[in-house]
Amino acid sequence: MSTPYPFTAIVGQDDLRLGLLLNAVSPAVGGVLVRGEKGTAKSTAVRALAALMPEVPVVSGCRFSCDPSAPDPACPDGPHEAGPGVSRPARTVELPVGASEDRLVGALDIERALSEGVKAFEPGLLADAHRGILYVDEVNLLHDHLVDLLLDAAAMGASYVEREGVSVRHAARFLLVGTMNPEEGELRPQLLDRFGLTVEVAASRDTDQRVEVVRRRLAYDDDPEGFAARWAREETALRERIAAARVLLPRVVLGDGVLRQIAATCAAFEVDGMRADIVMARTATALAAWAGREEVTAEDVRQAALLALPHRRRRNPFDAPGLDEEKLDDTLKEAEGDSDDGDGDDDGPGGGGGVPPQSGGPDAPDREAGTGDDTPADAPAGGDGSGSGSEQRPAPAGGAEQAPVGASEPFRAKMLSVPGLGEGAAGRRSRARTEHGRTTGARRPEGALTKLHLAATVQAAAPHQRARGRSGRGLVVRRDDLRQATREGREGNLVLFVVDASGSMAARQRMGAVKGAVLSLLLDAYQRRDKVGLVTFRGKEAEVALPPTSSVDAAAARLESLPTGGRTPLAAGLLKAHDVLRVERMRDPSRRPLLVVVTDGRATGGPDPVALAARAGRLHAAEGTASVVVDCETGVVRLGLAAQLARELGGGAVTLHELRADSIAGLVKDVTAAGRAA
């Protein structure tokens, strides 16, 4: 086993280290979600935490890590008698994003269950993580069916495996730690709420700090054992401080005044439910214990709010987590004024707020540094500006470029789906063959059996019972009799938006409404777990404003800053979209695309631009690309060009009004690729 990077050698990243240490002191805090760019010590810190955790007493030989002082009466390896047990190091179990359901929860040997009547169970990762750390890197990319299983286990503290009436249950209480890059998409709200704390990390932009990061990392890579030995004293001291804080934790007093501050803070930031209040109370208590105090202070409450509330406050899906610290301070002062719980001064031996001390170490300068992972990533390019405050002005003469126009209020859009039956990534848009969903039939298994179709298996085995010499009550089942259930669920698609940003759209001050409609479709794509891309056309050409990505909020940001004006090269936009889809088909052939063209159908520039756009549309139709045209034409006199384009694409057309789910025409609409009769 490789030597992990020492936790105390990680430089800087105070919030990250504090969040992990508080969970080490009090696992009841509920884990931590680490958000940030790549190369910022996220994975390094999580893997290093296990070495600081106290050893775990377990029942000897139990695969489910039962506590010898209170063994689980339902343990599959039990029953166990209470006894001294043995101690082992705390585990950090990593859940790969692409893991199967059986790998996560374990698997039953169905063949033995049917033929022998025994529960032959192979434990999964949830059993391995019991009383330890379950670490999910890139947790935002985890498939929905695995997220559902994690939610169930986190809520009940147990894992259930059921296959055709045969079930196994075992305890599964773990510290959930996840890392993610927000650029690759957000988490489902249900899973997000299961993380007790969240921290944001970023690479330092200070040259001296980055130098120290690289120096330490190179020293570790050259000699991991020697590097760890040089930090052994600091590691031991930190481990002892965690143990002391755990002993002190039950004695920490959480006064009524502090509870009032916690409740007032959660109410002020309009968090849903009561989990935030409970997590804040546990975090503030852990902060006091970490600082060596027996009483929670106002500063502990403030620090707990900064860690426990950003991902729970009410916000739009595309808003980054965060708290208004000025509002937080005002709320705490008001709540403090309503009570006699003291002034919240922090005079404990550990200092205020509980920020872990940064040890300089045997070879480090006396200062904070950047991060402690691989060489830090380069600074990201500046973000797109927001046009939300821009006024909607009439287009200047000649169709010159206008400043970006803010989007109108988004609405609930009706669902647009791809016809047929796909086999893409799990999602919530179009019909697909999946591992989860309603059973539609049976087939012979290819490889390991994952979902047994019991009736089909019995039907296949029944004619052979006499030939197999069946004499008892049990059914004689062979491998060839087993049948895999085929199931139908939903998949996520690639939704590629082609948005007309020309002067023909801006002249009638429609771009605000158009952006609002596209933003509504982006919200729908966010909820349905789609990938999205954005192509815009204006002036003389089209451009890929955002290559296909899982980060729907990035698409929303690009849309908001989109300028308008100029000619309408509709054909160029469709051809650019064709190029994007061609590349994506090679990258991910199982993910089916949905082309959404947002335009009034007008085309200018070059000889016969309307005919050229029609030819580009037929190119998409020939490849069977599902499409829909969002018709932005308004006014009494309508040319019907968008509907004509939809026919060339082989898809349908909807107006901005019809796009609303609550409109008269707001029914579920399949976008056909076969075309419609004129």
Side-chain angles (χ1 to χ4, degrees):
M1 184 176 180
S2 60
T3 303
Y5 193 94
F7 191 90
T8 50
I10 297 173
V11 291
Q13 304 295 17
D14 287 344
D15 286 344
L16 169 60
R17 293 184 295 122
L18 178 60
L20 293 172
L21 289 171
L22 291 178
N23 277 277
V25 171
S26 177
V29 166
V32 60
L33 174 65
V34 186
R35 298 165 46 96
E37 60 196 35
K38 55 185 177 294
T40 49
K42 299 190 299 294
S43 300
T44 296
V46 174
R47 295 187 178 107
L49 179 65
L52 302 175
M53 301 284 284
E55 289 195 340
V56 179
V58 298
V59 173
S60 179
C62 178
R63 296 175 297 167
F64 301 88
S65 302
C66 280
D67 186 346
S69 62
D72 182 3
C75 176
D77 283 355
H80 305 297
E81 295 184 1
V86 296
S87 294
R88 62 160 176 79
R91 292 175 180 164
T92 296
V93 177
E94 297 193 28
L95 171 59
V97 169
S100 66
E101 178 181 341
D102 286 346
R103 184 70 187 99
L104 177 61
V105 301
L108 284 170
D109 189 331
I110 300 298
E111 186 174 358
R112 290 189 62 190
L114 287 175
S115 59
E116 302 176 25
V118 297
K119 295 180 182 180
F121 182 69
E122 183 65 28
L125 295 177
L126 290 180
D128 293 341
H130 179 47
R131 304 176 68 204
I133 301 171
L134 181 62
Y135 171 48
V136 189
D137 193 14
E138 305 294 352
V139 64
N140 51 324
L141 304 182
L142 202 62
H143 291 305
D144 276 355
H145 67 282
L146 297 181
V147 171
D148 293 338
L149 293 170
L150 271 183
L151 288 172
D152 288 343
M156 297 183 294
S159 175
Y160 292 84
V161 182
E162 298 194 9
R163 295 286 169 80
E164 308 296 343
V166 181
S167 63
V168 171
R169 174 261 180 209
H170 65 83
R173 291 181 294 274
F174 46 82
L175 182 63
L176 182 61
V177 179
T179 58
M180 60 174 283
N181 185 345
E183 295 178 357
E184 297 172 342
E186 288 290 346
L187 274 178
R188 283 174 52 182
Q190 296 92 336
L191 182 58
L192 189 63
D193 190 51
R194 282 293 169 185
F195 287 97
L197 311 179
T198 185
V199 296
E200 297 279 341
V201 295
S204 172
R205 304 303 182 230
D206 181 84
T207 301
D208 292 336
Q209 293 180 349
R210 297 174 75 97
V211 166
E212 183 61 25
V213 170
V214 175
R215 180 182 293 117
R216 293 191 185 186
R217 186 69 202 194
L218 292 178
Y220 169 77
D221 291 341
D222 288 341
D223 183 11
E225 291 79 9
F227 185 83
R230 289 155 57 192
W231 288 89
R233 180 179 300 175
E234 288 76 9
E235 290 283 285
T236 300
L238 188 57
R239 192 178 298 111
E240 291 174 351
R241 183 175 176 184
I242 292 173
R246 281 194 167 198
V247 172
L248 180 62
L249 186 66
R251 303 200 302 269
V252 175
V253 177
L254 192 68
D256 289 342
V258 170
L259 282 174
R260 181 173 293 276
Q261 287 182 316
I262 291 172
T265 301
C266 292
F269 286 97
E270 298 182 320
V271 297
D272 293 326
M274 295 298 298
R275 184 173 286 120
D277 304 63
I278 296 170
V279 171
M280 269 191 68
R282 289 172 174 167
T283 304
T285 303
L287 281 163
W290 174 250
R293 288 182 273 101
E294 294 187 6
E295 186 173 358
V296 176
T297 67
E299 181 59 30
D300 295 329
V301 175
R302 185 182 190 279
Q303 183 69 55
L306 292 174
L307 293 171
L309 296 188
H311 60 302
R312 290 189 169 91
R313 68 175 179 84
R314 289 186 179 179
R315 59 189 178 93
N316 292 324
F318 303 139
D319 293 343
L323 286 186
D324 183 341
E325 294 195 33
E326 183 176 349
K327 178 180 178 181
L328 173 61
D329 292 335
D330 291 343
T331 301
L332 291 174
K333 288 179 181 178
E334 290 176 5
E336 189 176 18
D338 293 338
S339 67
D340 297 322
D341 194 57
D343 58 9
D345 290 339
D346 180 6
D347 55 1
V355 175
Q358 173 71 38
S359 173
D363 58 354
D366 294 329
R367 54 171 168 75
E368 294 283 345
T371 62
D373 202 347
D374 297 332
T375 303
D378 293 337
D384 293 313
S386 172
S388 58
S390 302
E391 297 181 358
Q392 298 188 22
R393 300 183 298 272
E401 179 177 319
Q402 299 182 55
V405 175
S408 63
E409 188 70 21
F411 51 84
R412 187 168 66 90
K414 66 179 176 181
M415 186 176 76
L416 306 172
S417 61
V418 178
L421 198 62
E423 296 181 347
R428 299 174 189 160
R429 184 172 297 278
S430 304
R431 294 172 55 221
R433 298 182 185 90
T434 62
E435 289 294 321
H436 301 269
R438 62 185 181 89
T439 300
T440 58
R443 60 175 174 81
R444 291 181 181 272
E446 299 174 1
L449 178 71
T450 56
K451 297 290 183 181
L452 178 75
H453 195 295
L454 182 59
T457 299
V458 172
Q459 186 177 8
H464 308 289
Q465 296 306 296
R466 181 176 296 178
R468 293 173 182 174
R470 174 185 171 185
S471 58
R473 298 176 60 185
L475 188 69
V476 181
V477 179
R478 302 282 170 80
R479 173 69 185 177
D480 291 342
D481 301 328
L482 299 179
R483 294 295 182 268
Q484 175 84 23
T486 57
R487 301 193 175 193
E488 182 178 312
R490 293 279 173 177
E491 68 177 359
N493 297 111
L494 166 59
V495 182
L496 181 62
F497 293 92
V498 181
V499 180
D500 185 348
S502 66
S504 69
M505 300 285 285
R508 289 177 291 277
Q509 301 184 26
R510 286 177 285 148
M511 187 49 72
V514 168
K515 285 186 175 182
V518 178
L519 183 62
S520 302
L521 290 170
L522 285 171
L523 285 165
D524 183 68
Y526 166 80
Q527 294 165 350
R528 301 189 188 282
R529 311 288 285 179
D530 295 317
K531 289 181 68 175
V532 297
L534 179 62
V535 173
T536 63
F537 58 93
R538 55 181 292 274
K540 297 182 179 180
E541 60 184 13
E543 66 171 348
V544 181
L546 184 72
T549 175
S550 297
S551 179
V552 180
D553 54 348
R558 298 294 173 89
L559 176 72
E560 190 70 17
S561 62
L562 179 66
T564 59
R567 294 182 179 273
T568 312
L570 177 56
L574 295 174
L575 291 174
K576 180 67 72 174
H578 182 268
D579 291 340
V580 171
L581 294 180
R582 177 178 55 81
V583 173
E584 287 302 310
R585 283 191 182 98
M586 292 187 291
R587 289 178 175 172
D588 189 0
S590 65
R591 188 181 289 269
R592 297 187 295 164
L594 173 61
L595 184 68
V596 179
V597 185
V598 185
T599 181
D600 58 7
R602 297 173 182 267
T604 60
D608 204 354
V610 175
L612 189 60
R615 288 174 55 191
R618 289 193 293 272
L619 187 62
H620 285 281
E623 296 188 350
T625 302
S627 61
V628 62
V629 176
V630 179
D631 185 356
C632 302
E633 190 174 28
T634 59
V636 177
V637 179
R638 300 174 63 87
L639 301 178
L641 295 175
Q644 180 180 335
L645 175 63
R647 289 192 292 271
E648 299 291 353
L649 284 165
V654 294
T655 65
L656 289 174
H657 175 69
E658 292 171 341
L659 194 60
R660 293 178 177 269
D662 55 358
S663 69
I664 296 177
L667 302 176
V668 174
K669 182 180 184 67
D670 280 337
V671 184
T672 63
R676 295 184 176 184

